[in-house]
């Protein structure tokens, strides 16, 4: 599983993510975007962990990957996105999904 946090995403970055979002409803500009990439089973568990940990919005990011890798975007303020990513990494390391 691979995780990244983009703090204060730029307009171009937001445009890229918005084009690939699973949902078409408009989101206000988030303070941060967390990106989590891995196998489908890991991403479903990661979405659940993030939503339960803090008040963030989680959406799948569409793309085409021959290795069947899936990506999630976690939207929220910087502290919430950071806390969600940290909780995902903690659960993944301990294998306590």
């Amino acid at each position: 599983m691979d995780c990244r946090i983009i703090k204060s995403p730029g307009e171009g970055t937001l445009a890229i993510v918005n084009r690939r979002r699973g949902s078409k409803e408009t989101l206000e500009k988030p303070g941060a975007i967390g990106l989590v990439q891995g196998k489908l089973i890991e991403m479903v568990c990661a979405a659940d962990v993030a939503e339960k940990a803090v008040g963030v919005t989680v959406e799948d990011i569409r793309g085409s990957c021959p290795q069947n890798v899936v990506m999630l975007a976690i939207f929220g303020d910087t502290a919430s996105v950071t806390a969600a990513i940290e909780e995902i990494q903690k659960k993944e390391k301990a294998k306590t999904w």
Side-chain angles (χ1 to χ4, degrees), residues 30-72:
I33 301 172
L35 299 173
V36 185
Q37 184 176 5
K39 296 177 184 175
L40 179 59
I41 192 169
E42 295 171 333
M43 296 304 93
V44 172
C45 292
D48 187 60
V49 167
E51 289 178 336
K52 289 177 179 175
V54 289
V56 293
T57 301
V58 181
E59 294 193 31
D60 63 316
I61 299 298
R62 297 177 186 189
S64 57
C65 180
Q67 293 87 17
N68 296 315
V69 173
V70 178
M71 185 166 22
L72 297 177

Side-chain angles (χ1 to χ4, degrees), residues 1 42 45-50 52-53 83-97:
M1 183 180 320
E42 295 171 333
C45 292
D48 187 60
V49 167
K52 289 177 179 175
I85 294 288
E86 288 172 353
E87 189 66 19
I88 289 167
Q89 290 173 323
K90 183 172 86 174
K91 296 279 188 185
E92 198 270 334
K93 183 177 181 181
K95 300 294 185 206
T96 56
W97 297 112

